[in-house]
Amino acid sequence: MKRSRHRIGLLVGVLTLVAVVVACVSVVPAGAVDVKPRRVIRDRDPNFSTLSVDSVNNEILVGNDAQESLQVYSRTAHGLVAPLREIKSPPATDTTSPHNTFVTFPGQVIIDPLHNEIWSVGNDIADLVTVYSRTADGNVSPIRRINGRLPQFRFNRSWGLSLDTVNDEVAVTHQKRNRISIFARTTNTDTDPAATTKRTISGSRTGLADPHGVFIDTTVNEIYVVNSGESLVTVAGLPVGATASPSITVYARTATGNVAPLRTIQGTNTGLDHARPLFVDSGRQEIVVADGSPTDRTGTATSRRSGSSRETRPASATRRESSWTGSTTSSSSPTGAITRSPCIRGAREATSSRCA
Amino acid sequence: MSHPRLAVFARKAKGQVAPLRILEGQRTGLSRSSHGVFLDAENNEVVASSPLGGAIVVYGREQKGNTSPIRMIQGSLTHLNSPQGIAVDNTNHEVVVSNDGGLSILVFDRLANGNVAPLREIIGPATGITTPEGIVVDPVHDEIILADEGDPEANPVIPPSLRIFRRTDSGNVAPFRVITGPSTGLIRPRQLQLDTERDELVLADRGLPQEFIYAPETQGYIGFWNRTDSGDQPPTRIIRGPRSQLSSPRAVYIDMENDEIGAGDTTSHSIMVYRRDFDGFDDRDDRDDDHEARDRGHRDHDHDRRGF
C-alpha cells in the first residue's frame, strides 16, 4: 500500500515537473539565441545624480544612477577614491543571485543621522521609497519601503524627497502626477500595505508642473518645490499638454489639496533650466537650486522673495567650473545642491577629469 | 539617467566614448520618458515625443545644445496626452504617434506645427488599445503596427499584443491582425521596427527586471516575427541571455545598410549592437572583424607581392 502511494506520489511529481517544463517552454519561445554583441557603448563612470551631506558623521551620500547604487564617501574625500560603503545589487543580467537593494534610478537621497538611516526614492517606473540603515553596505535589503505603485498612492515618476524630523514626516514629489505626497516618517508598506498618505498637494491651482526637488523648512513651516514646467492642464474637461517656464513654488507645510502656492519664483530672469534638487538655507533665508545640463549652474535666491508679479534673478549663481557644485563627476547635470563639497571622482573614473 | 536629452554617437562607437553631440536643456522642450525617437534621414530631422508636456518635438538632425525645436505639436486640438512611439511616413508625408494617455493612435501631417488637429485618430473600444508603446508605419503594405503592453493588473488580465491596423484607418476600428497569446513570449513590448528587406517585425521587450523580477524567462529580449504573422505565434528567433548583456531593452534599431541591429538597454544604461544575421555560435566582435580585415589586407598584400 505504501509502495503504491509512493508510486502515485512519484507519478504526480513527474507530471508536475513536466507541466512546469511545458509551461516554461511556452514562455521561452523557440529560437532563443544568447548572442554576444559586436559592440557595446557603456559609460563606466558614476553619474552622481543626487547628494546629501551628513555633518554629524562627516560623510557624503550620493545616488549613482549610472551604476544603480547608493555610495557613501568621507566628507573630506578628494580625487579618485573608492566609496566607504556602497548599497548595490548584482547586475540585472544576473538571474541567479538575490537582488536585495531595490535601488534603481535613484532620485533624491537623504542621510538622517538622527535615526541613523539612509533614504532614496526610485525614479522611472520604480516609484519606490527605500530606507536603509545608515551603515548598510553591499547587497542589503531596505529596512522599510513605501511602495508607490499601491492603488492608494499611484506614484508616477517620483523624484524629490525631503525629510522633516521635527514633525516626523517625509515629502515625495511625482513628476507625472504633478503632486506632493506627505507620509509619516515610519510608513512601511511591507508591514502595512493599507498605509495611506497624511496629506497630498495637487490640482490646477498648485502650479505644480513636473516637480523635482522638494524641501521642508520646519523653521518657517513651508514646503519648497522646483518645477521643470511640463504638465497636462485641463481645458474643457480634457487634458492638454502645456510647457510653462520652470518655477519654484512655496506652500504652507500643512497645506493639503488643490491650494495655490504662497509664493512663486518664475520667469526668464530666474535662469532656471531643468533645475533638479533644491535646498533652503533657513539661516541665510536663501534657496539653492542646481540646474541641469547644459546650464550646469547652481543658483541661490532669497527664500522670502516672490517672482509671480515680477521676475526674480538669483542672488548669485555659480558655474560648475568654479568648484562648489555637488556633482563634479564627468557626468553633467549638477544635482546635489546641498552644501560645499570637495571634488570626488568615482574609483572607476579614470578617463575624464573635470575635478581638476 | 533621468535628465532628458538626445545624445548622438558615432555609428561604430564602442566602450566608454563621448557622444558626438547632445541636445538638452529647458529650451529643447524635451521631458523625461521621451521614449519615441525617430531619425528622419530623408528630411534630415529628428522627431521625438515629449510625454510630460503632451508634445511632439522636431529638431534638425545636427541640432545640439540648449536649442528650441524647429516644430512643436502641442495644444488642445492635438489630442496628445503622454505620447510614446513615433514613426514618420515619408511616402504619405505623415507622422504617426502612439498616444498613451488618450489610448489612441494619432496621425498628423509631417509638417504640422503648433496647436493642430490630427488628420486621423484610431480610438475606441474596438481598437483594443490599452497601453500603446512602440509604433511602426509601413507605407508599402499600408499598415500601422502598434506594440501594446496590455494591462497585467486588469481583471481579467489584458495580454500584451502587436496590433496591426490599416494605414488609413480612423475612428473606432478593430485591428485586422493581432499577434498575442502565451506562445508569443510577449511581456512588456516597447519599441518596434520593421525590417523592410526581410519583411520582419523587430521588437524590444523590456521584460520584468524593472519590476525587480530576475529570471531567465522574464528577462527582456529582442524578438523577431514575420510581418504577416498573427495569433498566438512565437517569434521566429530572439536575442536573450547573459552573453547578450540585455536585461531590459526598451529601444531597438535596424541598420540594413551595415547588417546590424542595435538595442538600448534601460537597466544597464548601455547600447548593444548585434549582427543582423546573428547565430548562437558566433563569438566574433568588432575586434575580430578588425583582425579579419587586417589579415585580409595582409593576404591581399601578399597576393600583390607574388604577382597574383
Side-chain angles (χ1 to χ4, degrees):
Chain A
M1 188 67 184
K2 275 187 180 176
R3 182 175 290 179
S4 172
R5 272 188 193 162
H6 179 71
R7 278 180 184 167
I8 290 168
L10 190 64
L11 183 62
V12 169
V14 169
L15 288 174
T16 305
L17 183 62
V18 169
V20 167
V21 169
V22 168
C24 286
V25 165
S26 69
V27 294
V28 182
V33 177
D34 186 8
V35 63
K36 182 180 168 185
R38 303 183 78 179
R39 299 185 298 280
V40 177
I41 302 174
R42 181 174 297 155
D43 193 345
R44 297 187 183 281
D45 285 347
N47 182 36
F48 292 164
S49 59
T50 54
L51 176 148
S52 176
V53 174
D54 174 358
S55 52
V56 175
N57 298 290
N58 261 342
E59 292 181 341
I60 300 170
L61 169 68
V62 290
N64 174 2
D65 75 1
Q67 274 89 38
E68 308 224 309
S69 69
L70 306 177
Q71 297 175 316
V72 178
Y73 293 89
S74 163
R75 191 185 61 77
T76 56
H78 183 85
L80 188 59
V81 291
L84 300 173
R85 299 182 297 279
E86 183 170 25
I87 299 173
K88 183 175 169 59
S89 286
T93 46
D94 182 347
T95 57
T96 54
S97 307
H99 293 66
N100 296 329
T101 70
F102 296 95
V103 175
T104 184
F105 286 97
Q108 276 194 290
V109 294
I110 298 171
I111 301 182
D112 175 8
L114 183 64
H115 301 96
N116 266 325
E117 291 178 343
I118 281 174
W119 290 69
S120 174
V121 57
N123 189 244
D124 203 64
I125 62 168
D127 292 325
L128 180 69
V129 176
T130 47
V131 186
Y132 309 86
S133 163
R134 188 184 61 78
T135 54
D137 191 15
N139 183 16
V140 294
S141 301
I143 54 177
R144 291 193 305 279
R145 296 193 302 172
I146 301 174
N147 179 3
R149 303 182 81 176
L150 289 170
Q152 67 268 37
F153 301 139
R154 299 185 72 235
F155 289 8
N156 201 333
R157 268 62 176 179
S158 304
W159 196 94
L161 192 64
S162 182
L163 187 62
D164 170 359
T165 52
V166 175
N167 301 287
D168 244 7
E169 293 181 342
V170 64
V172 187
T173 61
H174 317 291
Q175 291 181 253
K176 224 171 167 180
R177 297 258 181 253
N178 298 317
R179 184 191 301 160
I180 306 167
S181 301
I182 313 291
F183 295 88
R185 186 185 62 81
T186 54
T187 301
N188 184 0
T189 57
D190 288 341
T191 55
D192 181 12
T196 56
T197 53
K198 290 181 78 173
R199 301 180 300 282
T200 58
I201 301 173
S202 67
S204 56
R205 300 180 63 210
T206 63
L208 291 169
D210 193 359
H212 278 79
V214 60
F215 190 89
I216 304 173
D217 184 352
T218 53
T219 60
V220 290
N221 272 324
E222 290 180 339
I223 299 178
Y224 295 71
V225 180
V226 63
N227 300 280
S228 268
E230 299 83 14
S231 68
L232 291 174
V233 298
T234 303
V235 176
L238 294 172
V240 175
T243 308
S245 300
S247 64
I248 297 167
T249 48
V250 185
Y251 311 87
R253 186 185 64 77
T254 54
T256 183
N258 187 9
V259 294
L262 301 173
R263 299 185 300 284
T264 300
I265 298 173
Q266 188 174 33
T268 51
N269 284 345
T270 65
L272 290 169
D273 189 328
H274 274 176
R276 292 293 178 262
L278 171 145
F279 177 78
V280 178
D281 184 340
S282 300
R284 298 184 178 193
Q285 293 209 352
E286 286 182 341
I287 306 166
V288 186
V289 293
D291 282 337
S293 284
T295 304
D296 292 338
R297 188 190 66 154
T298 306
T300 308
T302 305
S303 62
R304 309 303 299 173
R305 184 178 288 177
S306 173
S308 52
S309 56
R310 62 185 175 87
E311 292 181 349
T312 304
R313 290 182 189 278
S316 63
T318 310
R319 299 283 297 187
R320 177 176 54 206
E321 291 80 0
S322 61
S323 89
W324 79 270
T325 55
S327 172
T328 47
T329 70
S330 64
S331 303
S332 56
S333 297
T335 49
I338 302 296
T339 186
R340 286 174 186 273
S341 68
C343 180
I344 298 173
R345 291 160 56 197
R348 278 170 292 202
E349 186 192 13
T351 58
S352 56
S353 56
R354 287 189 181 168
C355 282
Chain B
M1 66 168 69
S2 56
H3 179 71
R5 69 181 199 173
L6 298 179
V8 179
F9 293 89
R11 184 185 70 79
K12 294 205 79 174
K14 184 178 181 180
Q16 185 161 353
V17 291
L20 298 173
R21 53 187 182 276
I22 300 170
L23 187 68
E24 62 183 345
Q26 198 77 41
R27 291 194 194 106
T28 64
L30 284 169
S31 75
R32 94 150 278 113
S33 305
S34 289
H35 295 135
V37 179
F38 189 96
L39 172 61
D40 179 0
E42 195 170 322
N43 296 294
N44 226 21
E45 291 180 344
V46 177
V47 187
S49 60
S50 183
L52 272 60
I56 302 300
V57 282
V58 184
Y59 309 96
R61 186 181 61 80
E62 294 190 82
Q63 199 171 322
K64 62 183 178 181
N66 190 2
T67 53
S68 303
I70 55 177
R71 294 190 301 280
M72 184 171 188
I73 308 174
Q74 186 185 46
S76 57
L77 298 177
T78 67
H79 295 181
L80 286 167
N81 182 350
S82 194
Q84 298 290 316
I86 301 273
V88 174
D89 172 359
N90 276 314
T91 304
N92 300 288
H93 308 288
E94 293 178 340
V95 178
V96 183
V97 181
S98 69
N99 194 36
D100 183 30
L103 302 184
S104 61
I105 296 169
L106 302 173
V107 182
F108 295 93
D109 183 275
R110 189 185 71 75
L111 295 174
N113 191 15
N115 185 14
V116 293
L119 302 172
R120 299 185 298 282
E121 184 168 10
I122 300 173
I123 186 169
T127 66
I129 297 173
T130 309
T131 310
E133 299 285 348
I135 198 160
V136 154
V137 59
D138 176 3
V140 174
H141 303 95
D142 267 339
E143 294 177 351
I144 291 173
I145 304 109
L146 174 74
D148 192 295
E149 184 179 294
D151 186 355
E153 292 170 10
N155 189 12
V157 167
I158 300 171
S161 61
L162 304 182
R163 313 184 78 76
I164 299 95
F165 298 89
R166 297 191 195 288
R167 187 185 62 77
T168 54
D169 276 348
S170 185
N172 186 17
V173 291
F176 71 95
R177 280 198 311 274
V178 178
I179 298 173
T180 190
S183 300
T184 65
L186 290 169
I187 305 172
R188 296 281 192 276
R190 285 296 182 266
Q191 194 171 19
L192 188 64
Q193 302 286 1
L194 178 64
D195 185 333
T196 54
E197 287 180 353
R198 299 184 173 194
D199 213 22
E200 276 185 335
L201 294 172
V202 184
L203 173 77
D205 190 312
R206 73 168 173 80
L208 297 178
Q210 288 185 275
E211 273 87 353
F212 306 107
I213 297 169
Y214 308 92
E217 65 274 18
T218 55
Q219 287 289 90
Y221 63 89
I222 303 298
F224 302 75
W225 282 263
N226 296 315
R227 182 185 57 79
T228 53
D229 281 347
S230 70
D232 190 10
Q233 180 71 41
T236 54
R237 62 198 197 282
I238 68 173
I239 302 174
R240 176 191 260 167
R243 288 172 68 216
S244 76
Q245 301 187 39
L246 292 172
S247 52
S248 191
R250 276 176 173 261
V252 64
Y253 73 80
I254 304 163
D255 179 353
M256 288 177 246
E257 194 176 324
N258 297 291
D259 249 347
E260 291 183 337
I261 294 164
D265 192 81
T266 303
T267 48
S268 63
H269 307 259
S270 309
I271 298 167
M272 289 80 167
V273 182
Y274 305 90
R275 295 170 193 282
R276 193 162 60 133
D277 58 349
F278 64 87
D279 65 58
F281 306 102
D282 188 354
D283 257 341
R284 293 174 299 167
D285 59 17
D286 262 4
R287 191 177 46 195
D288 299 323
D289 282 356
D290 293 344
H291 290 164
E292 271 179 30
R294 200 167 54 235
D295 292 345
R296 202 164 45 241
H298 288 159
R299 281 200 303 273
D300 292 346
H301 183 64
D302 290 344
H303 277 223
D304 290 344
R305 280 201 310 176
R306 283 180 290 181
F308 285 99

